Amino acid sequence: MDGTVLVADDDRTIRTVLTQALTRAGCKVHATSSLMTLMRWVEEGKGDLVISDVIMPDGNGLDALPRISKMRPGLPVIVISAQNTIMTAIQAAEAEAFDYLPKPFDLPDLMKRSARALEQKRRAPAKPAQPREAGDDLPLVGRTPAMQALYRLVARVMNTDLAVLVTGESGTGKSLIAKAIHDFSDRRSQPFVVAQGSDLAGMDGPSALMSRARGGSLVFDEVADYDDDMQARIVRMLDLAGDNAPRIMATSQTDLAARMEGGQFRQDLFYRLSGVTLHVPSLRERVDDIPLLAEHFLAKGERDLGALRRLSNDARDLIRAYSWPGNVRQLENTLRRLMVTSSEAEITRAEVESVLGNQPAMEPLKGGGEGEKLSASVARHLKRYFDLHGGQLPPAGVYQRILREVETPLIEIALDATAGNQAKCADLLGINRNTLRKKITDLDIRVTRRRKLM
């Protein structure tokens, strides 16, 4: 690589790591913890690439993107952020950031993106973004690869006219995804209409429905439940849509492709609805996001109910291990109930067990059936990861990302099993102790006093 990179992050470790890596790659680097200093460098004409955090001590990196674009049209900006929500990905895309990476990021992946940014000349300056606040009822929070892949796809398709099919289990947030696509798209000032079965009845039903949604978004919720007559009406309605037609979206918790192959869903309707498919992963597929979501709902409950509550460590472990057949909706309802019923500020494991005892059956959190080999479980999750990209290849660097996903829990569990004794842990893993220390640092594994697993 060749060029000057401006790095802005309030984390000294990240500044040091990026400075060393970029310098070794042949770049000149200016690093700062101040957004004001970064903007001064940009105004002075320094830098061929900006790598910036979002939350800085003296400002917001996303809010600065339009000003950077205005001062230096064509200067690429890569946004890195620990705020791993769909809003960060959408706002970065709206402000035409060159790229967005959630923390903790994969360094080789960031280096490849930086190389592409330095080589690519953007043709036109970005349009200033219109900052918008995420609603409190938008629990699209997650730092896992599955959720980050979903955020990227949402940002890419948001302002296209492609029909969108949102799939996923009950309670995963399919309707929220459809609403987010509308609310943060160019159609946000136009109607958002969720079709009901009764809307398609009668001679004038379909035309009246299209008229209500004209220019906005029209969503067919759980479209797999529509009978043959309703499916035929939708096909005819879409074929006669004409000018200023609404953007079409549909949700389904069943496999529409399988239903189509089984003759239970019209082929012509399937292809009209599946311009792009967005799969919303279940909580079992994004276990590491469960504590993050729990904290989100506790904070929301504090605002809504005026109840300040926190989870004990044992309660948090139980919530993370539960299978959550009702997914995000069940998790939110459970936590709201706990906030009301708990008498103390700290919610205990016993209280969680009491509430979950009345919930759908607690199933062991397993990748597949009993006796499934680890390789089969990994293969199934990897296939789902590739499928999430809608027929496109995932971003480069899959090997390192997957390796990190496996190494992190392996080392954490091994540390727990050896009560935090790094010498015993290294021996258990069959690696050198210095190698273990380096991996703990590289993978950002928090080393605390651990209890031995029984």
Side-chain angles (χ1 to χ4, degrees), residues 392-412:
Q392 298 181 356
L393 290 175
V398 171
Y399 180 82
Q400 289 298 329
R401 285 199 300 278
I402 298 301
L403 188 62
R404 184 188 186 100
E405 286 292 307
V406 173
E407 278 190 311
T408 300
L410 174 60
I411 292 174
E412 288 178 340

Side-chain angles (χ1 to χ4, degrees), residues 124-159:
K127 297 179 182 178
Q130 299 296 322
R132 289 191 293 277
E133 296 296 326
D136 287 338
D137 59 343
L138 194 69
L140 299 173
V141 176
R143 63 168 59 96
T144 52
M147 288 304 290
Q148 290 298 320
L150 175 62
Y151 295 164
R152 289 179 185 279
L153 280 174
V154 168
R156 287 179 193 149
V157 307
M158 191 169 53
N159 285 317

Side-chain angles (χ1 to χ4, degrees), residues 146 149 255 279 285 372 374-394 398 402:
D255 188 341
H279 177 75
E285 298 169 276
E372 182 180 40
L374 177 61
S375 59
S377 177
V378 170
R380 183 164 45 78
H381 284 285
L382 288 177
K383 185 178 185 305
R384 174 59 61 83
Y385 175 67
F386 274 75
D387 289 345
L388 282 171
H389 292 79
Q392 298 181 356
L393 290 175
V398 171
I402 298 301

Side-chain angles (χ1 to χ4, degrees), residues 207-259:
S207 60
L209 181 61
M210 290 295 281
S211 179
R212 283 171 51 203
R214 186 70 62 189
S217 299
L218 176 57
V219 181
F220 297 102
D221 194 33
E222 293 303 334
V223 70
D225 295 338
Y226 291 18
D227 60 28
D228 291 342
D229 180 61
M230 293 171 66
Q231 292 178 33
R233 282 173 172 265
I234 295 173
V235 171
R236 290 194 295 270
M237 181 179 70
L238 297 182
D239 287 345
L240 299 172
D243 297 332
N244 201 28
R247 201 233 185 103
I248 303 299
M249 291 186 276
T251 69
S252 177
Q253 59 180 291
T254 61
D255 188 341
L256 282 189
R259 290 179 67 89

